[in-house]
Amino acid sequence: MSSRTPATQYAALPFRLRNGRPEILLVTSRETKRWIIPKGWAEEGVKPCAMAAREAYEEAGVRGTVDHRPFGNFRYMKRLSVNKSVLCAVTVFLLEVDEVLDEWPEKGQRERRWLTPSQAALAVGESGLVEMLLRLGIPPD
């Protein structure tokens, strides 16, 4: 791993309100089956929030309203192969889920699960993401 600039990814943090309380939708990664949020590589000509919404559809089978302002950022090491990893800088956008689909592009490759923010924070491994999940669970003043 070199000390180059981190690779850029955009992520959706899919959520819904149930009885006034937020629930977070996590998916498993394809390789290691860790719990993550949907994310993908930056693409030229695609707005970051639109990229996040597309990843939510492809990886988690949800559609909704994506916030155009980033909710937060975190970094993590993405494993590309057994002995190659890359540092990724992820910008996260909230996506309020309107529609949960029965069929979606990566359905056979991932599991998805609705969790409370604190349950989701315990399930994910990236510390910067944990902070965002816990922040989502704090009721507004």
Side-chain angles (χ1 to χ4, degrees), residues 55-77:
E55 292 300 322
Y57 163 69
E58 291 176 359
E59 296 184 5
V62 292
R63 290 194 175 114
T65 305
V66 65
D67 195 330
H68 294 263
R69 296 162 305 180
F71 184 64
N73 300 280
F74 70 95
R75 290 180 178 219
Y76 79 107
M77 292 299 295

Side-chain angles (χ1 to χ4, degrees), residues 3-141:
S3 59
R4 294 180 311 180
T5 304
T8 301
Q9 290 190 317
Y10 298 116
L13 181 47
F15 76 97
R16 67 183 178 191
L17 294 177
R18 280 283 160 104
N19 301 318
R21 304 179 90 84
E23 290 183 333
I24 310 295
L25 184 65
L26 296 182
V27 297
T28 55
S29 64
R30 287 191 289 213
E31 298 291 320
T32 60
K33 302 299 180 196
R34 294 175 306 109
W35 288 104
I36 61 169
I37 59 175
K39 60 186 167 303
W41 303 107
E43 287 183 17
E44 195 159 331
V46 181
K47 289 184 177 179
C49 60
M51 186 75 216
R54 187 169 89 191
E55 292 300 322
Y57 163 69
E58 291 176 359
E59 296 184 5
V62 292
R63 290 194 175 114
T65 305
V66 65
D67 195 330
H68 294 263
R69 296 162 305 180
F71 184 64
N73 300 280
F74 70 95
R75 290 180 178 219
Y76 79 107
M77 292 299 295
K78 178 170 180 66
R79 195 173 83 193
L80 300 174
S81 65
V82 175
N83 32 358
K84 186 175 181 190
S85 296
V86 63
L87 178 63
C88 294
V90 184
T91 301
V92 179
F93 296 86
L94 289 177
L95 183 133
E96 186 165 8
V97 174
D98 301 325
E99 187 180 7
V100 179
L101 304 168
D102 293 330
E103 299 294 327
W104 67 96
E106 297 183 14
K107 178 180 181 177
Q109 302 168 44
R110 301 177 187 274
E111 290 179 53
R112 64 182 179 186
R113 184 168 301 156
W114 289 102
L115 300 165
T116 66
S118 56
Q119 289 170 328
L122 289 172
V124 301
E126 296 85 6
S127 59
L129 179 55
V130 167
E131 179 272 326
M132 277 183 265
L133 293 166
L134 293 175
R135 188 161 36 110
L136 196 60
I138 299 169
D141 293 334

